[in-house]
């Protein structure tokens, strides 16, 4: 069978597909003498929200085949979403794999007609990090690895490394991923703060909390500022004018803060289900939301999801004390991730300050005091962005369309709501007061108080 037009694959047709592609046949040694071809097994293992994932194996090798259909898997055909997302995922896997090969599965093959990616299978004991966090497993290298992944992918795709022309070329390569950005604008930055048919929460316990979000104008202002950093300029201008008609007294403040940020190639969905781990290995998967956006969106996604895991712990065990040491480990990981990210990122900046990056004049780098000031300012703004985006990601997972297994696996609804409320209150505080925090240690202290 030739796959000349888009065809939805199933466990049977995946085998036909693999046989029709030389690169995959060769990986699986299908043309060799012996019984590898006959023993090919296929299993659909997708447990994510959007796509279908097949594990194809035989005695020679195992390959992951990920296909995007023109809708959202966890909702169904009633919510269309372009299948072109596979193209951006393939490009991002390639780019991130080039920058941090030890933390990204190798891309074997991409078929734009079939919206299909073939990549390296991450074998057991790799599991999805979120599942490891629910099971109470510690990963001693996680902070170091994820900080390395984020510092390198973000620095090497930023204007601190790129010339302005290269940067614009790169931005253009990913700007077509606008449908996925639009989706995020809706489910992360808009719906949790308004009535939406997709929103849900642990009702009736969190009914007043969800309603309070919809009436909190200051929170809506903060989320609008972050949304405008996330999305392209024409939208942010529009958003600003809409907002201004409602909150006139904030005109001056608002117009000085609104700006779009094509800061770096971001993963775009870096929650704890986009990371697969063993105690020795950390692998980042699923970058289908990748585009040139604000760095803080990735850092915040990761930190915010660790915080969700922290607040879920008390609901996952009978006695809160049972996970005391584990909760401490999560907090250490939050702190280490930011601190190591900071250290790695600034080290890359120092190392490449005489490179092609044009964001700062050589005069800035030639004066140690000014250079230090420039770096301090940059990193402080990034820290505050990360806190804001992290808070937004926490809120959307409690009252928005897509929730997280950390809380969903707490069967007692009253207990679940109590854990979710603490996370929600922390997130609201972070969103409003993020610029008052000077370092990650203060955030950890604040988390302890909830
Ligand atoms: P979605 O975009 O639908 O969220 P993911 O890329 O997150 O899809 O993949 C869904 C699931 O498939 C993951 O949670 C993981 O269990 C499995 N998976 C995806 N990629 C790999 C891989 N390279 N190796 C092993 N398992 C994988
Ligand atoms: C219907 S929202 C589905 C969510 O899953 C993905 O992983 C993204 O986070 C998206 O927002
Ligand atoms: Mg996923
Ligand atoms: Mg995905």
């Amino acid at each position: 069978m030739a796959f000349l037009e888009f065809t939805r694959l199933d466990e049977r047709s995946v085998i036909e597909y693999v046989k029709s592609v030389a690169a995959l046949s060769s990986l699986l040694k299908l043309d060799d003498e012996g019984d590898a071809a006959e023993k090919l097994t296929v299993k659909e293992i997708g447990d994510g929200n959007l796509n279908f994932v097949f594990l194809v194996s035989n005695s020679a090798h195992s390959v992951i085949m990920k296909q995007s259909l023109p809708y959202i898997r966890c909702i169904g055909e009633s919510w269309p979403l372009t299948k072109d997302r596979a193209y951006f995922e393939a490009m991002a896997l390639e780019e991130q794999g080039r920058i941090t090969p030890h933390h990204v599965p190798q891309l074997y093959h991409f078929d734009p007609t079939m919206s299909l990616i073939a990549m390296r299978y991450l074998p057991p004991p790799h599991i999805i990090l979120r599942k490891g966090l629910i099971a109470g497993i510690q990963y001693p290298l996680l902070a170091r690895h994820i900080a390395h992944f984020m510092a390198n992918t973000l620095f090497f795709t930023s204007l601190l490394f790129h010339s302005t022309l290269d940067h614009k070329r790169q931005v253009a390569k990913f700007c077509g991923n606008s449908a996925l950005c639009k989706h995020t604008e809706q489910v992360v930055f808009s719906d949790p703060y308004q009535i939406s048919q997709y929103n849900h929460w642990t009702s009736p316990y969190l009914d007043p909390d969800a309603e309070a979000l919809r009436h909190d104008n200051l929170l809506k202002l903060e989320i609008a500022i972050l949304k405008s950093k996330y999305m392209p300029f024409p939208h942010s201008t529009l958003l600003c004018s809409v907002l201004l008609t409602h909150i006139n007294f904030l005109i001056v403040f608002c117009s000085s803060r609104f700006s779009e940020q094509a800061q770096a190639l971001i993963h775009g969905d870096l929650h704890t289900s986009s990371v697969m781990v063993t105690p020795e290995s950390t692998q980042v998967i699923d970058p289908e939301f990748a585009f040139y956006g604000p760095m803080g969106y990735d850092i915040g996604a990761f930190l915010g999801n660790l915080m969700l895991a922290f607040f879920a712990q008390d609901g996952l065990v009978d006695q809160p004390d049972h996970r005391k040491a584990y909760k401490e480990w999560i907090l250490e990981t939050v702190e280490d991730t930011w601190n190591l990210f900071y250290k790695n990122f600034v080290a890359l900046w120092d190392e490449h300050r005489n490179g092609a990056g044009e964001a700062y004049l050589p005069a800035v780098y030639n004066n140690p005091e000014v250079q230090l000031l420039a770096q301090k300012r940059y990193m402080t703004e990034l820290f505050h962005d990360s806190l804001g985006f992290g808070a937004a990601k926490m809120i959307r997972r409690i009252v928005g369309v897509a929730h997280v297994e950390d809380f969903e696996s707490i069967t007692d609804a009253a207990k679940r709501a109590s854990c979710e409320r603490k996370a929600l209150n922390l997130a609201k505080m972070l969103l409003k007061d993020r610029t008052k925090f000077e370092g990650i240690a203060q955030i950890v202290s604040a988390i302890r108080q909830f």
Side-chain angles (χ1 to χ4, degrees), residues 336-364:
D336 290 352
T337 299
W338 171 258
N339 286 337
L340 290 169
F341 168 80
Y342 192 118
K343 199 169 147 221
N344 291 345
F345 191 90
V346 171
L348 288 170
W349 193 348
D350 287 342
E351 191 185 336
H352 295 278
R353 62 182 209 165
N354 296 320
E358 290 176 287
Y360 294 83
L361 293 173
V364 171

Side-chain angles (χ1 to χ4, degrees), residues 50-51 66 89 269 286 288-289:
L50 262 54
N51 304 292
K66 176 171 176 178
E89 174 160 350
D269 202 20
D286 197 12
E288 65 192 314
F289 285 81

Side-chain angles (χ1 to χ4, degrees), residues 64-344:
I64 287 288
M65 308 283 294
K66 176 171 176 178
Q67 188 176 41
S68 301
L69 302 188
Y71 58 86
I72 294 180
R73 177 184 182 154
C74 68
I75 305 283
E77 290 179 52
S78 64
W79 194 335
L81 188 65
T82 173
K83 55 186 167 48
D84 290 349
R85 58 191 186 267
Y87 166 75
F88 294 99
E89 174 160 350
M91 279 213 302
L93 276 175
E94 217 166 25
E95 184 70 358
Q96 293 166 345
R98 196 180 56 72
I99 299 171
T100 58
H102 299 305
H103 298 301
V104 178
Q106 188 187 344
L107 176 72
Y108 293 144
H109 167 76
F110 170 60
D111 182 337
T113 307
M114 292 289 287
S115 298
L116 185 66
I117 288 169
M119 70 182 114
R120 187 187 154 225
Y121 172 52
L122 301 165
H126 280 99
I127 58 168
I128 287 290
L129 172 59
R130 194 185 301 286
K131 293 191 186 291
L133 293 166
I134 292 169
I137 304 170
Q138 296 196 12
Y139 296 97
L141 299 178
L142 175 64
R144 196 195 306 172
H145 286 167
I146 207 75
H148 178 89
F149 171 84
M150 293 193 301
N152 280 269
T153 55
L154 298 177
F155 176 82
F156 285 114
T157 59
S158 76
L159 268 173
L160 301 176
F161 182 73
H162 283 156
S163 69
T164 51
L165 277 180
D166 276 351
H167 195 71
K168 285 211 170 80
R169 228 173 271 133
Q170 288 300 113
V171 171
K173 264 170 74 178
F174 282 88
C175 74
N177 207 9
S178 50
L180 278 272
C181 293
K182 184 93 189 110
H183 170 86
T184 298
E185 288 160 27
Q186 178 186 342
V187 299
V188 175
F189 297 106
S190 296
D191 279 0
Y193 308 90
Q194 63 188 5
I195 302 254
S196 158
Q197 59 169 314
Y198 298 112
N199 288 345
H200 61 104
W201 50 83
T202 305
S203 185
Y205 304 95
L206 295 187
D207 289 358
D209 305 74
E211 194 183 349
L213 286 178
R214 296 196 296 271
H215 292 108
D216 191 333
N217 279 340
L218 283 179
L219 206 61
K220 283 193 246 178
L221 172 67
E222 293 302 335
I223 204 70
I225 290 168
L226 290 169
K227 184 178 182 181
S228 76
K229 279 200 176 202
Y230 174 87
M231 66 192 193
F233 183 69
H235 289 109
S236 59
T237 321
L238 183 71
L239 175 83
C240 192
S241 56
V242 169
L243 196 79
L244 292 180
T245 56
H246 288 96
I247 316 176
N248 286 326
F249 69 94
L250 289 163
I251 285 176
V252 176
F253 173 67
C254 183
S255 53
S256 67
R257 291 287 297 277
F258 274 72
S259 65
E260 169 263 2
Q261 274 193 328
Q263 218 176 7
L265 177 61
I266 64 169
H267 176 284
D269 202 20
L270 194 49
H271 51 72
T272 46
S273 292
S274 294
V275 181
M276 292 189 74
V277 281
T278 72
E280 292 84 31
S281 162
T282 305
Q283 303 289 326
V284 178
I285 61 168
D286 197 12
E288 65 192 314
F289 285 81
F291 78 114
Y292 271 74
M295 296 179 184
Y297 193 77
D298 275 2
I299 304 164
F302 187 75
L303 296 179
N305 275 266
L306 283 183
M307 293 180 206
L308 292 178
F310 173 88
F311 285 108
Q313 296 301 317
D314 288 349
L316 292 169
V317 284
D318 294 336
Q319 300 295 323
D321 266 9
H322 287 177
R323 288 284 176 93
K324 207 168 163 211
Y326 194 64
K327 285 168 73 180
E328 280 308 308
W329 175 79
I330 296 179
L331 293 183
E332 258 169 50
T333 306
V334 166
E335 197 163 345
D336 290 352
T337 299
W338 171 258
N339 286 337
L340 290 169
F341 168 80
Y342 192 118
K343 199 169 147 221
N344 291 345

